[in-house]
Amino acid sequence: VSRSKVTPLLIALLIGAALLLRLWSLNDAPPWLWWDEASQGLDARDLMAGHFRVFFPRAEGKEPLYVYLTVPFVAAFDGEPFAVRVAGALTGVAMVPALYAAGRALWRERPVAGAWAGLAAAAFWVTNFWPQSINRIGFQVNTLPLILTLAVVAWLNWTYRPIRSRALFFGFLAGLVFYTYLAARITPLLWAALLVTLPAVRRKALRPTWGWALLGFGLTIAPLLIYFTFHLGDAFQRAGSFAAFYDAPDTGDRASLLLDSFVQVAGGFFGYAGDPIPRHNIPNRPPFSIPLAVLFATGALVAVAGLFRKGRDSLPSLSSQRSWTLLAWLGVLAFPAFLSANSNPHFPRLLGALPAAFLIAAWPVGIIAEAMTTNNALRSDRFSDSWLLAVGVFGFALLIGYEAARTIPAYFVTWARDPALFTAFQGDLWQMAERIQQPPREIGLVPIDPSSAQTLDYAFSDAAIMHTLVDPATVEDWLQENLASYAGQTVGATTWETEPYIYADTQHAVPFYLAREGEVTDENHEAGYVLNDYRLGEQPQFVAAGQEIWAQAGFGPGLTLTGARWGAAYPNTDRNAAVAAAGTPVWAILEWRLDDPLPGVRVAVDLVDAGGHRLATLEQPLMLEDAPRTTMPPGGILHTYHLIDLPIAQPPGEIRLEARTYDAATGEVRAPDHATPRESVDLGAIQVAPPSQPSAEGIEIGVPLEGALGPGVRLLGRDAWPETVAPGQDVTFRVYYQADAALGADRALTLALDGAPVGGLTLPEPAPGQITQAFTDLRIPVEAASGDHVVALVTPEGDVVALGTLAVAGRATSFEPPPLSQAVEGRFDDAVALIGLTDTPPEITVAPGGAITVTLAWRALTPPDGELVRFVHALGPDGKPVAQMDSAPCGGDCPAPSWRADEYLTDVVRVEIPSDAPPGAYPLVVGWFEAATGARLPAYDATGTRLSNDVLPLPVRVVIGPAEASP
């Protein structure tokens, strides 16, 4: 086979390999579809509709060449990932002849070296993971390497023979580069560098044709310049992506950031760093193998040496121009990625520099091939006459085979099956859209950022799927406009649980409104989201003022409730009403002003009866835990959405709607201004109406019972109560009853313990046939003995109905103080006083992950009515707990209501130290708070002075270090 036939054959083989690697299973690898790819399809549709553009503002703005190349494929395969990716694959294939042509142009005076360098660069392009990955993604950057490579070839041809046609063609291609990708805007620096580094004689030879080059360039770029003149914002809207280092606070940080960026960019070519983004790469996998990196480093050294090579006329030789061309090409096109200083080596941003890198790596291959042909024994027209050349070809084939064997399984097996691609290519959105189309859903609703939603618009354009970015100020109007016509139909709606889509509806307003205006008929939990089905009512009222409360209430530092709206939800007929039937929901929207982000705060909305019993509660975070993404400016407004179910057994009458907040980590209540006894804010009165029809559905009776509570009134059961209780403890529970007919009035019963009256229970008049609930509070007498005690209800007629036995576990009491290791004086309100510590040293050394034990000695003062919680905190320098134990005293064996005046209590507290606690010495403090409200008891020292934060310092410090904990 003659050499003249081998080169086309090799090019054809490389083109075939490139086609196979880039088109194989293109619909499925990458899996699913990234929104940026989908935007190409949407723009292609606009073009097919006659909306011609030179710049597409969609998806943060993009250059048009890729979109135009995509049009025929979208016309044939609309909606498929293949349609928006195939143009990138084919431009990648076209790089094979383009790189061969670049090799021939760069080594014009050395045709053998040029041919083999071009073939080697093309082979690297075909088999390397980097271009393989990007060519299979529908990114407009895929057009940049091809057009830029052709422009470089045109430049070289013009400088070798400066005629008008070549100048004009170069100008056209140099202008066309601007229609490829944002990074192409830096190419004028490349052409300037190449012009400056030309020998003066050759630069002078170009002057007669400069005008033609500028004419070709100007005519080509004129439409884009005219567009940017009238749309200046589009020209700069993505400029921030090239200035990430400006986030650094000072010059030193910026220099360090840029140095790190340079190291990472260089690592992409020298084989020690890889793109960290899963969408582009097996994260951080170096794209250049060791052999390829060695070839690149060798070629780079040869190129640098060539910068200083002189010709016979003392002017830079063609070798010098070759070196300047490749090094300037690499450096200038790598500059945008270097300047962006994030996610480097970023494969797409560096793709324009990659052809130069492959040509540099191919330089040693060209040198070797040329050296072999200088041997007289190799000057034959047939390869069969040259065993040495055959060895060289075999070695080159082995290198390319190694690259292919390294890339193919890494891409099609390891990378394409990576679970991280599920979110990286919006697999969750794709899967959700497929499922949302299935019956019985008539329409789907997806809270999502408009840019991410382009996947839905392109791939699911025929499906009834709507999407929106939720704005509290407009969401009600949007829902009314778009969903009111779907009354009585099923809407499938997504609630996102993971980034990035969760930020489209941070407070889950969409599911709130859909549940408020209908009922949940199905719930499907998937990876990263929940797909719920809602059957809307016959007259959805998405826009409803409700009962409005705009009085402000402060909930501690930085948080103010500025207003609230609430009312009756579906199936009640009027969203504005303050009357709701038992068994139906009540809705509430709270408006908050935050001075600073508070991701650790939770909001609870309670339904409370006249006795202060919480009938129902709904809790949720005030804001997302990911504070950086939800940071709000000072005075920022936030809304929380609540839908609370009225118990179906709740009797008619007035109840209250209340709001409260607390710290999720510590349970500490953020007490509001003008609080209720439950440390909450009263939002208004709700009138409970009888249910539409008597029903026992949805009622779970903990302990079923039978008995007559009067004529026609049957006892059905009660709540379960604790297995054991202590003397003085309060026990609150519900009883359930049912009446056959109207009673005419409420019915009063007596609550008895072992036959002795201890309280009462009033049965509100129930609707006939309706199961009804009533609460009662039972306080165990302090003097109650240990053992089982019978609890019963006594009717006005004298009938006794047993509710069950309650086990009382008494405890020993002591009125003598225990021996103290350290005396401490402090008092907490009028409830309890600390007298000291027993068996506790002044300093305790503990290793991270260990535990310490502190024994406190207390004297009860006035036994409180409710439960109290004692806390011991080890405080860090910022005053926040590094470690803590909040629990009932004595391990639960001496609940506060069981205390007797002047008795002494020994309270052993075990505090576990977190494994990540930083070393250091930390003081201990102690305090108390009410279990029901979270409000701290006022703390006073021995002189009666109130202590800061209502905590009493203990004469103990905890030293966290490598040593084991003290006993």
Side-chain angles (χ1 to χ4, degrees):
V1 180
S2 65
R3 265 194 296 268
S4 62
K5 295 181 180 180
V6 167
T7 298
L9 178 62
L10 290 177
I11 292 176
L13 289 174
L14 289 173
I15 289 175
L19 279 169
L20 180 64
L21 290 176
R22 279 151 180 78
L23 294 180
W24 178 266
S25 193
L26 189 57
N27 232 19
D28 305 309
W32 308 294
L33 189 70
W34 178 238
W35 65 265
D36 209 7
E37 298 179 281
S39 71
Q40 316 287 355
L42 295 175
D43 288 331
R45 286 180 188 162
D46 287 347
L47 280 175
M48 290 187 290
H51 304 294
F52 298 100
R53 299 176 184 271
V54 295
F55 188 83
F56 292 90
R58 183 184 276 116
E60 298 183 342
K62 56 180 177 290
E63 291 67 25
L65 182 57
Y66 190 87
V67 177
Y68 279 84
L69 295 176
T70 299
V71 166
F73 306 106
V74 171
F77 307 101
D78 193 16
E80 295 292 326
F82 176 88
V84 296
R85 292 173 177 168
V86 66
L90 293 179
T91 54
V93 173
M95 282 298 295
V96 172
L99 283 168
Y100 175 75
R104 293 300 300 267
L106 284 163
W107 283 270
R108 177 176 293 270
E109 84 286 13
R110 298 163 60 183
V112 173
W116 280 99
L119 287 171
F124 295 151
W125 184 274
V126 170
T127 57
N128 186 261
F129 189 98
W130 185 339
Q132 162 77 5
S133 170
I134 302 305
N135 287 164
R136 292 177 63 92
I137 305 176
F139 289 165
Q140 72 262 27
V141 70
N142 279 299
T143 57
L144 173 60
L146 177 62
I147 304 302
L148 182 58
T149 301
L150 295 177
V152 170
V153 172
W155 160 262
L156 293 170
N157 289 338
W158 178 36
T159 60
Y160 296 147
R161 188 182 175 193
I163 61 177
R164 293 177 182 178
S165 59
R166 293 191 175 191
L168 192 64
F169 186 56
F170 163 71
F172 163 71
L173 289 174
L176 189 61
V177 168
F178 279 78
Y179 292 83
T180 61
Y181 184 61
L182 177 66
R185 298 181 191 179
I186 203 170
T187 52
L189 291 180
L190 172 62
W191 310 130
L194 297 183
L195 180 64
V196 169
T197 55
L198 269 181
V201 172
R202 297 178 63 192
R203 190 164 57 246
K204 182 178 180 180
L206 293 179
R207 288 180 183 174
T209 56
W210 277 1
W212 292 97
L214 291 174
L215 177 63
F217 179 79
L219 289 175
T220 306
I221 202 173
L224 194 61
L225 290 178
I226 294 171
Y227 175 85
F228 284 149
T229 300
F230 293 97
H231 304 84
L232 195 60
D234 287 346
F236 298 103
Q237 64 178 320
R238 287 183 294 161
S241 63
F242 294 94
F245 67 94
Y246 290 133
D247 294 334
D250 55 44
T251 303
D253 289 337
R254 291 176 183 175
S256 176
L257 190 62
L258 287 175
L259 177 61
D260 180 71
S261 180
F262 174 80
V263 171
Q264 294 303 312
V265 167
F269 303 111
F270 286 100
Y272 63 80
D275 193 323
I277 300 175
R279 192 161 41 255
H280 307 152
N281 186 25
I282 300 171
N284 301 308
R285 177 186 185 270
F288 277 29
S289 64
I290 293 177
L292 186 56
V294 170
L295 284 174
F296 174 79
T298 304
L301 290 175
V302 173
V304 171
L307 296 177
F308 309 101
R309 189 168 298 169
K310 301 291 184 179
R312 285 178 296 180
D313 55 358
S314 298
L315 294 174
S317 65
L318 292 177
S319 176
S320 175
Q321 183 185 9
R322 181 165 48 249
S323 296
W324 279 112
T325 299
L326 289 175
L327 293 176
W329 184 357
L330 178 70
V332 171
L333 270 296
F335 190 69
F338 157 73
L339 198 62
S340 71
N342 61 69
S343 302
N344 278 322
H346 192 278
F347 282 2
R349 291 196 194 113
L350 286 167
L351 198 65
L354 190 57
F358 282 150
L359 286 164
I360 290 172
W363 198 333
V365 176
I367 292 174
I368 294 171
E370 184 182 54
M372 288 190 296
T373 61
T374 59
N375 190 315
N376 290 334
L378 304 179
R379 291 178 181 173
S380 170
D381 287 337
R382 299 194 174 274
F383 282 112
S384 59
D385 299 329
S386 175
W387 64 270
L388 187 58
L389 188 59
V391 170
V393 171
F394 176 76
F396 177 69
L398 194 65
L399 172 63
I400 298 305
Y402 171 74
E403 286 295 312
R406 183 173 180 265
T407 291
I408 292 172
Y411 182 88
F412 288 102
V413 179
T414 306
W415 179 79
R417 299 179 184 177
D418 187 347
L421 298 191
F422 185 70
T423 53
F425 277 93
Q426 294 187 285
D428 44 7
L429 186 64
W430 188 281
Q431 179 191 80
M432 178 276 301
E434 288 182 326
R435 295 187 178 183
I436 213 170
Q437 299 178 81
Q438 299 171 3
R441 307 174 188 97
E442 281 83 17
I443 192 171
L445 178 55
V446 183
I448 195 170
D449 185 274
S451 62
S452 297
Q454 292 173 106
T455 298
L456 296 176
D457 293 334
Y458 169 71
F460 300 93
S461 58
D462 295 332
I465 300 177
M466 295 185 297
H467 54 77
T468 182
L469 182 63
V470 173
D471 179 354
T474 60
V475 64
E476 293 182 352
D477 292 327
W478 188 92
L479 289 169
Q480 188 70 29
E481 178 183 352
N482 289 279
L483 289 184
S485 61
Y486 288 89
Q489 301 184 54
T490 298
V491 178
T494 305
T495 301
W496 297 107
E497 296 180 333
T498 58
E499 294 189 67
Y501 312 124
I502 191 173
Y503 299 105
D505 186 9
T506 56
Q507 301 304 116
H508 295 168
V510 164
F512 162 80
Y513 282 107
L514 292 176
R516 192 187 79 173
E517 302 305 322
E519 58 180 338
V520 179
T521 58
D522 194 17
E523 185 173 317
N524 301 279
H525 289 265
E526 306 293 347
Y529 66 92
V530 178
L531 178 58
N532 285 350
D533 291 339
Y534 303 85
R535 180 164 292 278
L536 296 181
E538 295 302 323
Q539 291 184 328
Q541 303 169 42
F542 293 106
V543 179
Q547 305 294 308
E548 296 183 280
I549 308 293
W550 298 113
Q552 295 195 0
F555 278 81
L559 180 62
T560 304
L561 178 67
T562 58
R565 295 187 289 135
W566 58 270
Y570 177 86
N572 295 288
T573 57
D574 186 1
R575 301 298 163 267
N576 301 298
V579 179
T584 65
V586 174
W587 66 271
I589 301 174
L590 308 185
E591 183 179 280
W592 306 87
R593 185 178 70 245
L594 284 71
D595 295 338
D596 295 295
L598 296 170
V601 172
R602 292 185 67 84
V603 178
V605 175
D606 306 317
L607 300 179
V608 182
D609 69 8
H613 305 112
R614 290 189 178 123
L615 309 174
T617 296
L618 182 69
E619 296 186 4
Q620 65 186 60
L622 173 68
M623 60 190 302
L624 293 182
E625 292 297 326
D626 188 6
R629 289 291 299 271
T630 55
T631 297
M632 304 182 67
I637 297 298
L638 188 72
H639 294 79
T640 56
Y641 301 86
H642 311 264
L643 201 61
I644 315 102
D645 289 322
L646 267 170
I648 195 170
Q650 180 65 23
E654 183 179 286
I655 62 173
R656 309 298 298 186
L657 186 70
E658 298 179 354
R660 55 190 169 90
T661 65
Y662 66 94
D663 187 278
T666 65
E668 183 178 349
V669 170
R670 297 176 66 93
D673 303 333
H674 314 295
T676 70
R678 290 161 295 284
E679 300 294 328
S680 59
V681 167
D682 182 72
L683 301 179
I686 301 171
Q687 294 295 324
V688 179
S692 57
Q693 58 183 10
S695 173
E697 294 182 4
I699 300 177
E700 295 183 3
I701 299 177
V703 180
L705 298 170
E706 293 182 0
L709 300 179
V713 182
R714 296 188 306 277
L715 174 67
L716 301 179
R718 60 168 171 82
D719 284 343
W721 50 43
E723 292 186 6
T724 60
V725 295
Q729 182 176 342
D730 286 324
V731 180
T732 298
F733 60 93
R734 272 180 295 199
V735 295
Y736 296 91
Y737 61 98
Q738 190 174 37
D740 296 329
L743 301 180
D746 294 346
R747 186 166 179 77
L749 306 175
T750 300
L751 185 66
L753 185 69
D754 294 331
V758 290
L761 172 63
T762 299
L763 303 182
E765 182 180 8
Q770 174 65 35
I771 296 178
T772 308
Q773 65 185 21
F775 284 87
T776 186
D777 301 305
L778 167 64
R779 168 161 292 183
I780 308 301
V782 173
E783 64 277 4
S786 297
D788 292 339
H789 297 260
V790 177
V791 182
L793 290 173
V794 182
T795 70
E797 295 79 15
D799 298 325
V800 178
V801 181
L803 296 179
T805 57
L806 193 60
V808 176
R811 58 181 179 82
T813 56
S814 173
F815 294 91
E816 295 293 330
L820 303 176
S821 58
Q822 298 183 73
V824 184
E825 291 187 43
R827 174 174 59 85
F828 294 87
D829 204 7
D830 294 324
V832 64
L834 183 68
I835 63 170
L837 298 93
T838 68
D839 302 322
T840 303
E843 182 172 294
I844 306 175
T845 302
V846 63
I852 64 170
T853 300
V854 178
T855 304
L856 306 169
W858 303 96
R859 181 170 67 89
L861 302 176
T862 303
D865 292 333
E867 299 284 356
L868 298 179
V869 177
R870 176 262 310 119
F871 62 86
V872 173
H873 291 173
L875 299 182
D878 58 358
K880 296 182 179 180
V882 173
Q884 67 186 73
M885 171 52 71
D886 303 7
S887 61
C890 312
D893 291 338
C894 61
S898 70
W899 296 346
R900 298 189 181 186
D902 294 324
E903 76 165 307
Y904 291 90
L905 309 166
T906 301
D907 184 15
V908 180
V909 186
R910 176 183 170 85
V911 182
E912 295 185 357
I913 307 299
S915 59
D916 59 351
Y922 301 94
L924 283 184
V925 297
V926 66
W928 292 82
F929 63 84
E930 296 176 355
T933 65
R936 288 188 178 183
L937 299 188
Y940 303 91
D941 63 13
T943 65
T945 302
R946 187 165 181 176
L947 298 168
S948 176
N949 294 324
D950 290 318
V951 295
L952 176 66
L954 296 175
V956 178
R957 73 170 186 167
V958 179
V959 178
I960 300 177
E964 296 295 328
S966 300

